[in-house]
Amino acid sequence: MAERISDAEHAVMEVLWDESPLTAQDVAERIPDTRDWSANTVKTLLGRLLAKSIIAHEAEGRRYLYRPLVKREDYVAGESRKLMDRLFGGRLSPLVAHLADRDALTAQDIAEIEALLKELKA
Amino acid sequence: MAERISDAEHAVMEVLWDESPLTAQDVAERIPDTRDWSANTVKTLLGRLLAKSIIAHEAEGRRYLYRPLVKREDYVAGESRKLMDRLFGGRLSPLVAHLADRDALTAQDIAEIEALLKELKA
DNA sequence: CCGTAATGACTACGGATGTAATCGTATCGT
DNA sequence: ACGATACGATTACATCCGTAGTCATTACGG
């Protein structure tokens, strides 16, 4: 189950998380243009994701409709945690400190995070 | 310059960031036991990091002392930003929301982050 | 019915990665 | 001086990844 999603595969997943089920062609069309992929490339990636049981497909006539089996939520949670563990000893505050330091924060971000924390304390 | 550091290479870097310069053998000894690597494996990784100019070596007698050329700070910043961009549209607050939600932050974590934000607003 | 296009399956292939063995040489102990 | 040893350099090799081409089959237009 805990199969790894590669970078290219992730691009496919983002499409399917955004909308599903989709045919292979639909997926290919929705891949951001910055990735200049042939339709075949997308099909290969769908095949690999299938093999890893990260997505599933059901026949629709002579082709397939693809849908995610893994929730974006869970993927994102896993990746975030891995980063936090690997680079920040599993603690969130150093991560925040780090990014905050590098001026990744707007005033709105700050307000949002503060609200969040207030919520947590309550 | 912007050469990628693989996962195995990262383990080597952590050792060198913690203490340097070190000989290949010193590095091998300091690799966490969970990675059950032969000394040769470590040397291969040092060689690859050298090739990518992520570390440097200077002769010490008939062997080398290795030291990082890239600061951990910078590496960590890059990785954090990549994650944030890839999964959270480049915004920090959803990341915090996510991790906060999934895992109890200690009161201390909360306090630390709040202090940080207060600092930023000032 | 027949050629053509669409579609999934299979195959390809260079580069990165994880993990090491082997080789050549310099050194150290005796 | 000689054999054992310690090192770096070179080579190995299976797997994964990015990117795609080719093949077989089926449906569709004419």
Side-chain angles (χ1 to χ4, degrees):
Chain A
M1 205 171 282
E3 290 279 12
R4 156 143 205 82
I5 297 177
S6 81
D7 191 64
E9 287 161 6
H10 176 233
V12 170
M13 290 308 290
E14 285 294 347
V15 171
L16 287 174
W17 278 323
D18 187 53
E19 187 181 353
S20 79
L22 292 177
T23 66
Q25 190 180 358
D26 288 341
V27 173
E29 276 163 14
R30 274 155 238 239
I31 295 285
D33 293 349
T34 44
R35 308 243 185 193
D36 198 23
W37 283 346
S38 81
N40 279 335
T41 297
V42 174
K43 285 189 202 167
T44 298
L45 294 171
L46 285 170
R48 288 180 183 169
L49 288 166
L50 268 180
K52 298 189 207 171
S53 298
I54 290 165
I55 63 177
H57 62 355
E58 61 205 67
E60 186 238 23
R62 64 196 219 74
R63 55 196 174 158
Y64 290 121
L65 293 179
Y66 298 85
R67 72 173 69 250
L69 285 180
V70 175
K71 279 186 300 195
R72 187 172 195 281
E73 272 295 288
D74 292 339
Y75 173 70
V76 164
E79 292 298 301
S80 307
R81 179 153 315 281
K82 252 189 299 183
L83 182 88
M84 218 173 44
D85 289 348
R86 232 170 37 108
L87 300 183
F88 298 96
R91 310 253 341 278
L92 178 55
S93 50
L95 206 190
V96 173
H98 204 93
L99 288 167
D101 220 38
R102 299 261 169 172
D103 85 332
L105 279 183
T106 66
Q108 198 197 351
D109 281 322
I110 295 179
E112 279 177 28
I113 296 172
E114 279 181 332
L116 232 166
L117 295 179
K118 188 163 299 180
E119 179 96 7
L120 280 177
K121 282 195 300 189
Chain B
M1 205 170 283
E3 290 279 11
R4 158 137 206 84
I5 298 177
S6 81
D7 191 64
E9 287 160 6
H10 175 233
V12 170
M13 291 306 291
E14 286 293 347
V15 171
L16 287 175
W17 278 323
D18 187 54
E19 186 182 354
S20 79
L22 292 177
T23 66
Q25 189 180 359
D26 287 341
V27 173
E29 276 163 14
R30 274 154 239 239
I31 295 286
D33 294 348
T34 44
R35 309 244 185 191
D36 197 23
W37 284 345
S38 81
N40 279 335
T41 297
V42 174
K43 285 187 201 168
T44 298
L45 293 171
L46 285 169
R48 287 179 184 170
L49 288 166
L50 269 179
K52 298 189 207 172
S53 297
I54 291 166
I55 63 178
H57 62 355
E58 63 205 67
E60 186 238 24
R62 64 198 217 73
R63 54 197 175 157
Y64 290 121
L65 292 178
Y66 297 87
R67 70 172 70 250
L69 286 179
V70 177
K71 279 185 301 195
R72 186 171 196 280
E73 271 297 288
D74 292 339
Y75 172 70
V76 164
E79 293 297 301
S80 307
R81 181 156 315 281
K82 253 189 299 181
L83 183 88
M84 222 174 41
D85 289 347
R86 235 172 30 111
L87 301 183
F88 298 96
R91 312 253 339 279
L92 177 57
S93 50
L95 205 189
V96 173
H98 204 93
L99 288 168
D101 217 41
R102 290 264 171 168
D103 200 4
L105 283 176
T106 66
Q108 199 199 349
D109 282 322
I110 295 178
E112 278 178 28
I113 295 172
E114 277 181 334
L116 235 164
L117 296 179
K118 187 164 298 180
E119 179 93 6
L120 280 177
K121 284 196 300 189

